[in-house]
Amino acid sequence: MENKYPEGSIVFAKVNPSLRLAVRRYAKRIYYCTNVAHPQEKELVYFERELMDNEAAASS
């Protein structure tokens, strides 16, 4: 299975579309993301179905 969002992509969580996330790592179907505004905070972990790209976030 191919990952939809490569490392370094900016994505948004469906539960909080105003939060910009940078994909840091993709491993075993899990995306490890960093909050762009506060990179020193803990990483957030999501499945692909829980994320959306910039175009989808703009239409929400």
Side-chain angles (χ1 to χ4, degrees), residues 1-56:
M1 182 176 198
E2 191 86 17
N3 63 331
K4 185 175 179 180
Y5 307 110
E7 293 178 7
S9 297
I10 301 297
V11 295
F12 301 87
K14 289 182 180 178
V15 294
N16 188 0
S18 62
L19 181 63
R20 289 183 54 176
L21 303 168
V23 176
R24 187 187 68 77
R25 184 172 180 220
Y26 174 77
K28 298 183 181 179
R29 298 174 48 188
I30 298 174
Y31 289 90
Y32 297 87
C33 302
T34 304
N35 182 346
V36 174
H38 302 284
Q40 68 278 9
E41 290 182 358
K42 289 176 70 174
E43 282 189 327
L44 302 168
V45 180
Y46 295 99
F47 289 109
E48 185 175 304
R49 66 179 175 264
E50 298 174 307
L51 297 173
M52 58 185 168
D53 56 10
N54 197 14
E55 293 85 31

